[in-house]
Amino acid sequence: MSNRKAISFFLFLLFSIFVIAKTEAQSCQPSGKIKGKKPPKDQCNKNNDSECCEQGKYYTTYKCSPTVGAHTKAVLTLNSFEKGKDGGGPSECDSKYHSDDIPIVALSTGWFNNMKRCFRNVTIYGNGNSVSAMVVDECDSTMGCDLDHDYQPPCNNNIVDASRAVWKALGVPKSQWGEMDITWSDDNA
Ligand SMILES: *[C@@H]1O[C@H](CO)[C@@H](O)[C@H](O)[C@H]1NC(C)=O
Ligand SMILES: *[C@@H]1O[C@H](CO)[C@@H](O)[C@H](O)[C@H]1NC(C)=O
């Protein structure tokens, strides 16, 4: 092998190792599946694009979420943190309900990280704007289709489930509230 070829080969090897390591770090595999049960009559709030579990349908569960960076890709969804709305039970961080007029979010299980992000703020970038919002709840990726989760399927592993104040602050027209690609980062990270 010529010197030049050897160097190219060596660089290629380094690059491959880097790519493999990066993929390894970012991969978050499903942890299981749950079988949907039919919600009891008048259960499961279909408002605000909430999905209800279907009888016999399988839903993938996750204990992990993608690795967090300076601009972590996520899907922003709309949630109510008020009593009797589509959010289900009170918030995981303090067992309380919260006003939807405050920018607050629930994060997928992996990002919620066993309450470690409770009451920390994250910055959400979307629609050309950004807003700082406090983490108060978990969007459960490990369970769903029961009373505690308003008979909704488990969360995907890349969800930032936000109060209307977040959507408002990002300047998204109300008719488009529901689901949007965003990025986010930890404040003071
Ligand atoms: C739907 O979302 C809006 C905005 O957050 C909220 O005001 C409303 O109460 C929600 N509806 C229900 C039934 O949860
Ligand atoms: C954190 O978020 C809350 C809203 O939930 C906001 O009132 C507060 O100003 C934020 N803190 C910082 C440092 O941005």
Side-chain angles (χ1 to χ4, degrees):
M1 234 192 285
S2 74
N3 238 350
R4 183 174 265 235
K5 264 190 180 155
I7 288 168
S8 305
F9 183 67
F10 179 69
L11 284 176
F12 172 75
L13 248 160
L14 261 184
F15 178 72
S16 308
I17 290 166
F18 176 73
V19 167
I20 290 167
K22 209 170 150 103
T23 316
E24 205 76 65
Q26 281 180 345
S27 71
C28 163
Q29 302 301 320
S31 60
K33 281 180 188 300
I34 51 171
K35 198 175 177 181
K37 291 186 284 270
K38 199 178 170 189
K41 204 171 182 306
D42 296 329
Q43 296 284 342
C44 189
N45 192 328
K46 277 213 171 187
N47 288 299
N48 291 336
D49 289 330
S50 293
E51 197 192 330
C52 296
C53 288
E54 285 173 41
Q55 171 97 43
K57 191 171 166 182
Y58 284 92
Y59 298 93
T60 306
T61 57
Y62 293 90
K63 286 182 183 160
C64 52
S65 293
T67 308
V68 174
H71 275 278
T72 311
K73 281 187 189 165
V75 174
L76 189 72
T77 53
L78 178 63
N79 187 35
S80 175
F81 297 82
E82 296 179 359
K83 195 171 180 179
K85 299 291 179 63
D86 59 339
S91 293
E92 196 69 28
C93 291
D94 55 5
S95 304
K96 286 181 182 155
Y97 292 97
H98 297 267
S99 164
D100 293 329
D101 293 322
I102 303 167
I104 45 176
V105 295
L107 298 179
S108 295
T109 294
W111 289 340
F112 187 68
N113 197 12
N114 282 316
M115 315 264 270
K116 286 197 186 77
R117 280 200 171 83
C118 277
F119 310 120
R120 298 239 194 138
N121 282 31
V122 294
T123 295
I124 297 161
Y125 307 88
N127 195 39
N129 296 310
S130 69
V131 57
S132 177
M134 197 185 283
V135 178
V136 297
D137 205 357
E138 175 178 16
C139 196
D140 202 333
S141 313
T142 68
M143 285 188 286
C145 304
D146 56 16
L147 179 62
D148 221 27
H149 302 89
D150 201 25
Y151 294 95
Q152 291 169 16
C155 245
N156 212 331
N157 64 2
N158 63 343
I159 300 296
V160 175
D161 200 17
S163 66
R164 63 173 170 242
V166 170
W167 288 86
K168 213 180 246 178
L170 293 176
V172 180
K174 208 166 178 176
S175 59
Q176 289 166 33
W177 290 4
E179 214 173 288
M180 182 173 83
D181 288 338
I182 53 131
T183 61
W184 70 274
S185 63
D186 285 305
D187 283 13
N188 313 310

